[in-house]
Amino acid sequence: MKRTLLVAALAAVLAAIWLMAQTQPVGDPLMEGFRGVEVASVSDAMEQLYGQKAYMSHEMRALNVAKFAGPAVTVQLKKEEHKEGSAASQGMLDAIDAAAPGTVYVMAMDGAGADYAGIGGLMATAMKYRGLTGAVIDGSVRDTPQIRKLQFPVFSRGVVPSTTINHFRVTGTNVPVTCAGVRVNPNDIIVADEDGVAVVPRARAADVLKKAQDLDNTEHTMIPFIEKFKSIKEAVAKFGRI
């Protein structure tokens, strides 16, 4: 009897483990691929394949050293003076609470946000603990000690102590936006590292990733060649790129 109960219990445990394995999220090979390539190669791939500028303004810099990739969750803010307080900004909070783990929060501030902090420590904390992979703010940020302590990756135009409350209004979430000079659609892939931020349209992602990987591989092969022969001209002639 005891043996029968033990076998039944073991079977139940194995069934539970199997069920958990079936329901665990599987890593997206496409996203993992973009996390492994350099943003410079992604930018070059978009230009070479489609003749398209895919990188954001040089003003977009990381608060901490960061490298990430993920699908975009977009928020659009419009510059507007009002007295409605945080009610006019509720949409940007809703977007955080609805965002899936692994996504990138992309905030467009109507081209007028450099002197306003689009996010601070509270919003960054919510993003971190919801599992977002990073944030890209077409404006500035504040509460930098808290954000650095969180080690949450944020790209922005700068750091200021101001707020968007009563100065901006959320006009859309998960809508197409223009962020730091580049069009971003919801679910487009955002790729960021110390060189900056690039955007890859979802429909072109597979081809761009393959091209970026090829460019990375060529460049990484050229480095030891240059070290050995001490000539960049010979390397370019052999590998066909610079």
Side-chain angles (χ1 to χ4, degrees):
M1 182 68 174
K2 288 182 179 179
R3 181 183 176 86
T4 302
L5 290 173
L6 180 61
V7 171
L10 180 60
V13 169
L14 291 174
I17 292 172
W18 180 89
L19 181 60
M20 288 176 64
Q22 305 311 305
T23 56
Q24 289 300 308
V26 177
D28 182 347
L30 192 66
M31 218 59 62
E32 292 299 327
F34 276 109
R35 293 188 184 108
V37 294
E38 298 173 10
V39 169
S41 294
V42 173
S43 175
D44 286 355
M46 282 292 294
E47 185 172 349
Q48 291 179 24
L49 290 174
Y50 304 108
Q52 183 176 340
K53 174 183 175 291
Y55 60 91
M56 294 187 184
S57 167
H58 67 279
E59 295 179 356
M60 300 293 283
R61 307 313 306 164
L63 187 60
N64 301 307
V65 174
K67 181 174 178 59
F68 61 81
V73 171
T74 63
V75 178
Q76 178 72 59
L77 273 66
K78 179 182 179 181
K79 182 73 170 71
E80 180 182 324
E81 299 296 324
H82 59 82
K83 297 296 183 183
E84 297 175 31
S86 60
S89 300
Q90 185 63 42
M92 65 186 186
L93 309 183
D94 293 338
I96 296 172
D97 282 359
T103 53
V104 178
Y105 189 87
V106 178
M107 176 183 282
M109 296 179 64
D110 200 26
D115 288 328
Y116 294 89
I119 70 167
L122 297 178
M123 291 175 65
T125 299
M127 293 179 198
K128 167 87 172 185
Y129 284 92
R130 277 205 61 81
L132 275 72
T133 198
V136 177
I137 310 299
D138 192 8
S140 291
V141 298
R142 69 178 189 178
D143 302 333
T144 54
Q146 293 96 312
I147 297 174
R148 286 197 175 102
K149 184 177 179 181
L150 285 168
Q151 295 185 319
F152 182 72
V154 177
F155 278 74
S156 72
R157 291 186 182 270
V159 177
V160 293
S162 59
T163 178
T164 58
I165 303 302
N166 288 329
H167 303 291
F168 283 80
R169 181 184 302 279
V170 174
T171 57
T173 60
N174 280 316
V175 296
V177 300
T178 299
C179 184
V182 180
R183 188 72 164 177
V184 182
N185 295 298
N187 211 37
D188 282 352
I189 298 173
I190 308 298
V191 190
D193 65 18
E194 291 181 77
D195 283 344
V197 184
V199 181
V200 180
R202 173 62 72 159
R204 296 176 170 177
D207 290 341
V208 171
L209 175 58
K210 184 179 184 305
K211 183 66 172 178
Q213 288 171 332
D214 290 344
L215 292 171
D216 264 7
N217 289 337
T218 300
E219 181 163 321
H220 297 164
T221 304
M222 289 174 70
I223 290 171
F225 183 93
I226 294 169
E227 291 173 348
K228 179 178 180 179
F229 294 100
K230 300 178 177 59
S231 172
I232 189 169
K233 288 178 64 176
E234 288 184 28
V236 172
K238 179 176 176 62
F239 294 96
R241 73 153 297 184
I242 187 172

